[in-house]
mmCIF file of all heavy atoms in Angstrom:
data_model
loop_
_atom_site.group_PDB
_atom_site.id
_atom_site.type_symbol
_atom_site.label_atom_id
_atom_site.label_comp_id
_atom_site.label_asym_id
_atom_site.label_seq_id
_atom_site.Cartn_x
_atom_site.Cartn_y
_atom_site.Cartn_z
ATOM 1 N N TYR H 116 54.394 112.658 -0.812
ATOM 2 C CA TYR H 116 53.021 112.746 -0.308
ATOM 3 C C TYR H 116 52.218 111.521 -0.737
ATOM 4 O O TYR H 116 51.507 110.915 0.073
ATOM 5 C CB TYR H 116 52.327 114.011 -0.818
ATOM 6 C CG TYR H 116 50.905 114.135 -0.285
ATOM 7 C CD1 TYR H 116 50.679 114.636 0.993
ATOM 8 C CD2 TYR H 116 49.820 113.712 -1.034
ATOM 9 C CE1 TYR H 116 49.397 114.713 1.512
ATOM 10 C CE2 TYR H 116 48.526 113.787 -0.530
ATOM 11 C CZ TYR H 116 48.319 114.293 0.741
ATOM 12 O OH TYR H 116 47.044 114.340 1.253
ATOM 13 N N ARG H 117 52.319 111.142 -2.002
ATOM 14 C CA ARG H 117 51.519 110.024 -2.510
ATOM 15 C C ARG H 117 51.910 108.701 -1.840
ATOM 16 O O ARG H 117 51.049 107.870 -1.539
ATOM 17 C CB ARG H 117 51.677 109.917 -4.021
ATOM 18 C CG ARG H 117 51.164 111.124 -4.776
ATOM 19 C CD ARG H 117 51.290 110.943 -6.272
ATOM 20 N NE ARG H 117 50.348 109.964 -6.778
ATOM 21 C CZ ARG H 117 50.325 109.523 -8.029
ATOM 22 N NH1 ARG H 117 51.223 109.963 -8.891
ATOM 23 N NH2 ARG H 117 49.425 108.634 -8.417
ATOM 24 N N ASN H 118 53.203 108.515 -1.610
ATOM 25 C CA ASN H 118 53.682 107.231 -1.102
ATOM 26 C C ASN H 118 53.650 107.106 0.418
ATOM 27 O O ASN H 118 53.526 105.990 0.944
ATOM 28 C CB ASN H 118 55.114 106.977 -1.580
ATOM 29 C CG ASN H 118 55.198 106.773 -3.080
ATOM 30 O OD1 ASN H 118 54.204 106.488 -3.742
ATOM 31 N ND2 ASN H 118 56.401 106.930 -3.629
ATOM 32 N N TRP H 119 53.761 108.256 1.104
ATOM 33 C CA TRP H 119 53.944 108.174 2.564
ATOM 34 C C TRP H 119 53.085 109.160 3.346
ATOM 35 O O TRP H 119 52.297 108.779 4.208
ATOM 36 C CB TRP H 119 55.422 108.387 2.885
ATOM 37 C CG TRP H 119 55.771 108.328 4.352
ATOM 38 C CD1 TRP H 119 55.876 109.386 5.218
ATOM 39 C CD2 TRP H 119 56.042 107.149 5.124
ATOM 40 N NE1 TRP H 119 56.211 108.948 6.479
ATOM 41 C CE2 TRP H 119 56.315 107.566 6.448
ATOM 42 C CE3 TRP H 119 56.071 105.787 4.820
ATOM 43 C CZ2 TRP H 119 56.628 106.675 7.466
ATOM 44 C CZ3 TRP H 119 56.386 104.889 5.847
ATOM 45 C CH2 TRP H 119 56.659 105.340 7.146
ATOM 46 N N PHE H 120 53.207 110.446 3.019
ATOM 47 C CA PHE H 120 52.656 111.455 3.919
ATOM 48 C C PHE H 120 51.140 111.590 3.857
ATOM 49 O O PHE H 120 50.539 112.079 4.816
ATOM 50 C CB PHE H 120 53.330 112.808 3.668
ATOM 51 C CG PHE H 120 54.729 112.869 4.199
ATOM 52 C CD1 PHE H 120 55.821 112.800 3.346
ATOM 53 C CD2 PHE H 120 54.960 112.943 5.561
ATOM 54 C CE1 PHE H 120 57.113 112.822 3.839
ATOM 55 C CE2 PHE H 120 56.252 112.973 6.074
ATOM 56 C CZ PHE H 120 57.334 112.905 5.216
ATOM 57 N N GLN H 121 50.496 111.183 2.781
ATOM 58 C CA GLN H 121 49.034 111.276 2.788
ATOM 59 C C GLN H 121 48.433 110.339 3.837
ATOM 60 O O GLN H 121 47.325 110.577 4.313
ATOM 61 C CB GLN H 121 48.453 110.987 1.416
ATOM 62 C CG GLN H 121 48.515 109.561 0.926
ATOM 63 C CD GLN H 121 47.602 109.351 -0.277
ATOM 64 O OE1 GLN H 121 46.408 109.640 -0.228
ATOM 65 N NE2 GLN H 121 48.181 108.882 -1.379
ATOM 66 N N TYR H 122 49.168 109.303 4.204
ATOM 67 C CA TYR H 122 48.688 108.367 5.220
ATOM 68 C C TYR H 122 49.067 108.818 6.629
ATOM 69 O O TYR H 122 48.690 108.181 7.613
ATOM 70 C CB TYR H 122 49.253 106.974 4.938
ATOM 71 C CG TYR H 122 48.970 106.509 3.521
ATOM 72 C CD1 TYR H 122 50.007 106.407 2.585
ATOM 73 C CD2 TYR H 122 47.674 106.223 3.109
ATOM 74 C CE1 TYR H 122 49.753 105.999 1.282
ATOM 75 C CE2 TYR H 122 47.414 105.823 1.805
ATOM 76 C CZ TYR H 122 48.465 105.719 0.899
ATOM 77 O OH TYR H 122 48.190 105.326 -0.405
ATOM 78 N N ARG H 123 49.802 109.918 6.725
ATOM 79 C CA ARG H 123 50.201 110.494 8.007
ATOM 80 C C ARG H 123 49.786 111.968 8.087
ATOM 81 O O ARG H 123 50.325 112.726 8.869
ATOM 82 C CB ARG H 123 51.717 110.335 8.197
ATOM 83 C CG ARG H 123 52.105 108.897 8.446
ATOM 84 C CD ARG H 123 53.480 108.549 7.973
ATOM 85 N NE ARG H 123 53.744 107.127 8.206
ATOM 86 C CZ ARG H 123 53.354 106.160 7.370
ATOM 87 N NH1 ARG H 123 52.723 106.466 6.246
ATOM 88 N NH2 ARG H 123 53.601 104.886 7.650
ATOM 89 N N ASP H 124 48.832 112.320 7.253
ATOM 90 C CA ASP H 124 48.314 113.688 7.153
ATOM 91 C C ASP H 124 47.307 113.913 8.281
ATOM 92 O O ASP H 124 46.274 113.244 8.338
ATOM 93 C CB ASP H 124 47.642 113.842 5.781
ATOM 94 C CG ASP H 124 47.140 115.243 5.513
ATOM 95 O OD1 ASP H 124 46.814 115.953 6.479
ATOM 96 O OD2 ASP H 124 47.040 115.616 4.339
ATOM 97 N N PRO H 125 47.599 114.844 9.217
ATOM 98 C CA PRO H 125 46.736 114.991 10.398
ATOM 99 C C PRO H 125 45.497 115.866 10.195
ATOM 100 O O PRO H 125 44.696 116.003 11.118
ATOM 101 C CB PRO H 125 47.677 115.647 11.411
ATOM 102 C CG PRO H 125 48.559 116.514 10.555
ATOM 103 C CD PRO H 125 48.770 115.732 9.276
ATOM 104 N N MET H 126 45.321 116.478 8.981
ATOM 105 C CA MET H 126 44.208 117.413 8.871
ATOM 106 C C MET H 126 43.340 117.251 7.629
ATOM 107 O O MET H 126 42.205 117.716 7.604
ATOM 108 C CB MET H 126 44.710 118.860 8.947
ATOM 109 C CG MET H 126 45.452 119.365 7.735
ATOM 110 S SD MET H 126 47.201 118.989 7.776
ATOM 111 C CE MET H 126 47.770 119.884 6.344
ATOM 112 N N THR H 127 43.844 116.589 6.579
ATOM 113 C CA THR H 127 43.101 116.604 5.319
ATOM 114 C C THR H 127 41.764 115.881 5.420
ATOM 115 O O THR H 127 40.766 116.324 4.834
ATOM 116 C CB THR H 127 43.961 115.998 4.189
ATOM 117 O OG1 THR H 127 45.107 116.830 4.009
ATOM 118 C CG2 THR H 127 43.191 115.939 2.888
ATOM 119 N N ARG H 128 41.692 114.786 6.162
ATOM 120 C CA ARG H 128 40.411 114.079 6.293
ATOM 121 C C ARG H 128 39.357 114.977 6.934
ATOM 122 O O ARG H 128 38.204 115.011 6.484
ATOM 123 C CB ARG H 128 40.588 112.801 7.116
ATOM 124 C CG ARG H 128 39.284 112.025 7.315
ATOM 125 C CD ARG H 128 39.509 110.732 8.056
ATOM 126 N NE ARG H 128 40.330 109.802 7.289
ATOM 127 C CZ ARG H 128 40.672 108.586 7.715
ATOM 128 N NH1 ARG H 128 40.282 108.176 8.901
ATOM 129 N NH2 ARG H 128 41.421 107.806 6.961
ATOM 130 N N GLN H 129 39.754 115.713 7.968
ATOM 131 C CA GLN H 129 38.802 116.611 8.636
ATOM 132 C C GLN H 129 38.405 117.773 7.728
ATOM 133 O O GLN H 129 37.235 118.178 7.703
ATOM 134 C CB GLN H 129 39.406 117.138 9.941
ATOM 135 C CG GLN H 129 39.636 116.062 10.999
ATOM 136 C CD GLN H 129 41.057 115.538 10.953
ATOM 137 O OE1 GLN H 129 41.610 115.279 9.879
ATOM 138 N NE2 GLN H 129 41.651 115.368 12.132
ATOM 139 N N LEU H 130 39.371 118.330 7.004
ATOM 140 C CA LEU H 130 39.066 119.418 6.080
ATOM 141 C C LEU H 130 38.138 118.945 4.968
ATOM 142 O O LEU H 130 37.212 119.647 4.569
ATOM 143 C CB LEU H 130 40.366 119.975 5.486
ATOM 144 C CG LEU H 130 41.234 120.788 6.438
ATOM 145 C CD1 LEU H 130 42.645 120.934 5.878
ATOM 146 C CD2 LEU H 130 40.619 122.164 6.685
ATOM 147 N N ARG H 131 38.375 117.751 4.482
ATOM 148 C CA ARG H 131 37.532 117.203 3.427
ATOM 149 C C ARG H 131 36.092 117.025 3.908
ATOM 150 O O ARG H 131 35.138 117.248 3.163
ATOM 151 C CB ARG H 131 38.099 115.868 2.955
ATOM 152 C CG ARG H 131 37.327 115.243 1.802
ATOM 153 C CD ARG H 131 37.857 113.862 1.493
ATOM 154 N NE ARG H 131 37.119 113.245 0.412
ATOM 155 C CZ ARG H 131 37.069 111.939 0.198
ATOM 156 N NH1 ARG H 131 37.712 111.120 0.999
ATOM 157 N NH2 ARG H 131 36.379 111.448 -0.808
ATOM 158 N N SER H 132 35.908 116.639 5.164
ATOM 159 C CA SER H 132 34.561 116.398 5.685
ATOM 160 C C SER H 132 33.731 117.675 5.770
ATOM 161 O O SER H 132 32.507 117.619 5.857
ATOM 162 C CB SER H 132 34.640 115.747 7.069
ATOM 163 O OG SER H 132 35.157 116.652 8.037
ATOM 164 N N LEU H 133 34.388 118.844 5.724
ATOM 165 C CA LEU H 133 33.668 120.116 5.790
ATOM 166 C C LEU H 133 33.009 120.458 4.457
ATOM 167 O O LEU H 133 31.977 121.135 4.425
ATOM 168 C CB LEU H 133 34.625 121.239 6.195
ATOM 169 C CG LEU H 133 35.299 121.105 7.566
ATOM 170 C CD1 LEU H 133 36.281 122.247 7.768
ATOM 171 C CD2 LEU H 133 34.260 121.084 8.677
ATOM 172 N N TRP H 134 33.632 120.077 3.346
ATOM 173 C CA TRP H 134 33.134 120.366 1.992
ATOM 174 C C TRP H 134 32.861 121.849 1.802
ATOM 175 O O TRP H 134 31.857 122.248 1.220
ATOM 176 C CB TRP H 134 31.886 119.539 1.673
ATOM 177 C CG TRP H 134 32.139 118.065 1.680
ATOM 178 C CD1 TRP H 134 31.644 117.175 2.581
ATOM 179 C CD2 TRP H 134 32.943 117.307 0.766
ATOM 180 N NE1 TRP H 134 32.093 115.904 2.302
ATOM 181 C CE2 TRP H 134 32.888 115.953 1.185
ATOM 182 C CE3 TRP H 134 33.701 117.631 -0.361
ATOM 183 C CZ2 TRP H 134 33.560 114.934 0.512
ATOM 184 C CZ3 TRP H 134 34.377 116.620 -1.026
ATOM 185 C CH2 TRP H 134 34.303 115.293 -0.592
ATOM 186 N N ARG H 135 33.770 122.680 2.280
ATOM 187 C CA ARG H 135 33.692 124.138 2.112
ATOM 188 C C ARG H 135 35.084 124.712 2.289
ATOM 189 O O ARG H 135 35.975 124.053 2.849
ATOM 190 C CB ARG H 135 32.733 124.752 3.139
ATOM 191 C CG ARG H 135 33.151 124.533 4.595
ATOM 192 C CD ARG H 135 32.332 125.351 5.561
ATOM 193 N NE ARG H 135 32.609 125.005 6.950
ATOM 194 C CZ ARG H 135 33.657 125.427 7.655
ATOM 195 N NH1 ARG H 135 34.572 126.205 7.070
ATOM 196 N NH2 ARG H 135 33.820 125.086 8.914
ATOM 197 N N PRO H 136 35.311 125.942 1.824
ATOM 198 C CA PRO H 136 36.617 126.567 2.064
ATOM 199 C C PRO H 136 36.894 126.690 3.557
ATOM 200 O O PRO H 136 36.017 127.116 4.319
ATOM 201 C CB PRO H 136 36.475 127.945 1.402
ATOM 202 C CG PRO H 136 35.393 127.772 0.379
ATOM 203 C CD PRO H 136 34.436 126.798 0.991
ATOM 204 N N ALA H 137 38.080 126.317 3.975
ATOM 205 C CA ALA H 137 38.392 126.341 5.404
ATOM 206 C C ALA H 137 39.886 126.533 5.619
ATOM 207 O O ALA H 137 40.718 126.076 4.825
ATOM 208 C CB ALA H 137 37.939 125.043 6.073
ATOM 209 N N TYR H 138 40.212 127.210 6.720
ATOM 210 C CA TYR H 138 41.602 127.322 7.134
ATOM 211 C C TYR H 138 42.049 125.982 7.723
ATOM 212 O O TYR H 138 41.261 125.287 8.380
ATOM 213 C CB TYR H 138 41.768 128.387 8.216
ATOM 214 C CG TYR H 138 41.206 129.744 7.905
ATOM 215 C CD1 TYR H 138 40.054 130.202 8.548
ATOM 216 C CD2 TYR H 138 41.817 130.596 6.988
ATOM 217 C CE1 TYR H 138 39.544 131.464 8.286
ATOM 218 C CE2 TYR H 138 41.308 131.851 6.724
ATOM 219 C CZ TYR H 138 40.165 132.286 7.377
ATOM 220 O OH TYR H 138 39.650 133.530 7.110
ATOM 221 N N VAL H 139 43.309 125.633 7.541
ATOM 222 C CA VAL H 139 43.849 124.444 8.181
ATOM 223 C C VAL H 139 43.707 124.557 9.694
ATOM 224 O O VAL H 139 43.430 123.570 10.397
ATOM 225 C CB VAL H 139 45.321 124.238 7.773
ATOM 226 C CG1 VAL H 139 45.995 123.191 8.656
ATOM 227 C CG2 VAL H 139 45.412 123.822 6.296
ATOM 228 N N ASP H 140 43.851 125.787 10.218
ATOM 229 C CA ASP H 140 43.756 126.016 11.666
ATOM 230 C C ASP H 140 42.402 125.618 12.242
ATOM 231 O O ASP H 140 42.269 125.439 13.458
ATOM 232 C CB ASP H 140 43.984 127.498 11.989
ATOM 233 C CG ASP H 140 45.397 127.947 11.676
ATOM 234 O OD1 ASP H 140 46.171 127.128 11.163
ATOM 235 O OD2 ASP H 140 45.721 129.117 11.924
ATOM 236 N N GLU H 141 41.381 125.484 11.401
ATOM 237 C CA GLU H 141 40.052 125.115 11.902
ATOM 238 C C GLU H 141 40.023 123.694 12.443
ATOM 239 O O GLU H 141 39.193 123.368 13.291
ATOM 240 C CB GLU H 141 38.995 125.255 10.806
ATOM 241 C CG GLU H 141 38.652 126.681 10.437
ATOM 242 C CD GLU H 141 37.461 126.743 9.487
ATOM 243 O OE1 GLU H 141 36.458 126.054 9.744
ATOM 244 O OE2 GLU H 141 37.540 127.495 8.499
ATOM 245 N N VAL H 142 40.902 122.823 11.930
ATOM 246 C CA VAL H 142 40.844 121.423 12.332
ATOM 247 C C VAL H 142 42.055 120.988 13.154
ATOM 248 O O VAL H 142 42.021 119.943 13.797
ATOM 249 C CB VAL H 142 40.684 120.498 11.101
ATOM 250 C CG1 VAL H 142 39.388 120.812 10.365
ATOM 251 C CG2 VAL H 142 41.870 120.608 10.161
ATOM 252 N N ILE H 143 43.131 121.781 13.112
ATOM 253 C CA ILE H 143 44.297 121.482 13.939
ATOM 254 C C ILE H 143 45.045 122.784 14.216
ATOM 255 O O ILE H 143 45.303 123.574 13.306
ATOM 256 C CB ILE H 143 45.229 120.446 13.266
ATOM 257 C CG1 ILE H 143 46.384 120.069 14.203
ATOM 258 C CG2 ILE H 143 45.732 120.927 11.915
ATOM 259 C CD1 ILE H 143 47.207 118.877 13.708
ATOM 260 N N SER H 144 45.372 123.014 15.469
ATOM 261 C CA SER H 144 46.059 124.255 15.832
ATOM 262 C C SER H 144 47.503 124.215 15.328
ATOM 263 O O SER H 144 48.083 123.134 15.117
ATOM 264 C CB SER H 144 46.057 124.440 17.347
ATOM 265 O OG SER H 144 46.879 123.466 17.972
ATOM 266 N N LYS H 145 48.068 125.397 15.139
ATOM 267 C CA LYS H 145 49.458 125.449 14.673
ATOM 268 C C LYS H 145 50.429 124.780 15.642
ATOM 269 O O LYS H 145 51.347 124.075 15.212
ATOM 270 C CB LYS H 145 49.855 126.894 14.392
ATOM 271 C CG LYS H 145 49.273 127.415 13.085
ATOM 272 C CD LYS H 145 49.881 128.738 12.683
ATOM 273 C CE LYS H 145 49.353 129.154 11.309
ATOM 274 N NZ LYS H 145 49.894 130.447 10.857
ATOM 275 N N PRO H 146 50.272 124.982 16.963
ATOM 276 C CA PRO H 146 51.188 124.279 17.890
ATOM 277 C C PRO H 146 51.093 122.767 17.754
ATOM 278 O O PRO H 146 52.118 122.070 17.785
ATOM 279 C CB PRO H 146 50.712 124.754 19.267
ATOM 280 C CG PRO H 146 50.110 126.100 19.003
ATOM 281 C CD PRO H 146 49.435 125.969 17.672
ATOM 282 N N ASP H 147 49.869 122.235 17.577
ATOM 283 C CA ASP H 147 49.712 120.787 17.430
ATOM 284 C C ASP H 147 50.270 120.305 16.094
ATOM 285 O O ASP H 147 50.913 119.251 16.021
ATOM 286 C CB ASP H 147 48.242 120.393 17.553
ATOM 287 C CG ASP H 147 47.728 120.490 18.982
ATOM 288 O OD1 ASP H 147 48.564 120.526 19.907
ATOM 289 O OD2 ASP H 147 46.499 120.542 19.165
ATOM 290 N N LEU H 148 50.011 121.085 15.030
ATOM 291 C CA LEU H 148 50.520 120.703 13.716
ATOM 292 C C LEU H 148 52.043 120.681 13.705
ATOM 293 O O LEU H 148 52.662 119.800 13.106
ATOM 294 C CB LEU H 148 49.998 121.673 12.656
ATOM 295 C CG LEU H 148 50.458 121.431 11.208
ATOM 296 C CD1 LEU H 148 50.012 120.054 10.726
ATOM 297 C CD2 LEU H 148 49.934 122.523 10.288
ATOM 298 N N SER H 149 52.640 121.660 14.393
ATOM 299 C CA SER H 149 54.105 121.777 14.373
ATOM 300 C C SER H 149 54.809 120.601 15.046
ATOM 301 O O SER H 149 56.020 120.412 14.864
ATOM 302 C CB SER H 149 54.537 123.082 15.055
ATOM 303 O OG SER H 149 54.247 123.053 16.439
ATOM 304 N N LYS H 150 54.061 119.792 15.788
ATOM 305 C CA LYS H 150 54.658 118.632 16.467
ATOM 306 C C LYS H 150 54.612 117.373 15.605
ATOM 307 O O LYS H 150 55.163 116.338 15.999
ATOM 308 C CB LYS H 150 53.912 118.362 17.782
ATOM 309 C CG LYS H 150 53.968 119.507 18.775
ATOM 310 C CD LYS H 150 53.063 119.214 19.974
ATOM 311 C CE LYS H 150 53.005 120.410 20.918
ATOM 312 N NZ LYS H 150 52.046 120.175 22.046
#
């Protein structure tokens, strides 16, 4: 994660911008994430 995947993480930036507890599904759907 530190070396590679944090730079290819499709949802953490959006989740961070909320600054509140949130489901991952709020920023990316499971079908989209699974791809």
Side-chain angles (χ1 to χ4, degrees):
Y116 181 81
R117 297 182 71 186
N118 293 342
W119 180 265
F120 286 105
Q121 71 166 305
Y122 307 110
R123 289 151 182 83
D124 184 332
M126 72 273 187
T127 297
R128 179 177 295 180
Q129 294 95 316
L130 288 164
R131 183 186 179 202
S132 68
L133 299 176
W134 298 112
R135 61 170 172 80
Y138 307 108
V139 168
D140 294 3
E141 288 188 46
V142 299
I143 184 170
S144 68
K145 284 191 175 179
D147 287 342
L148 179 60
S149 67
K150 299 173 185 176

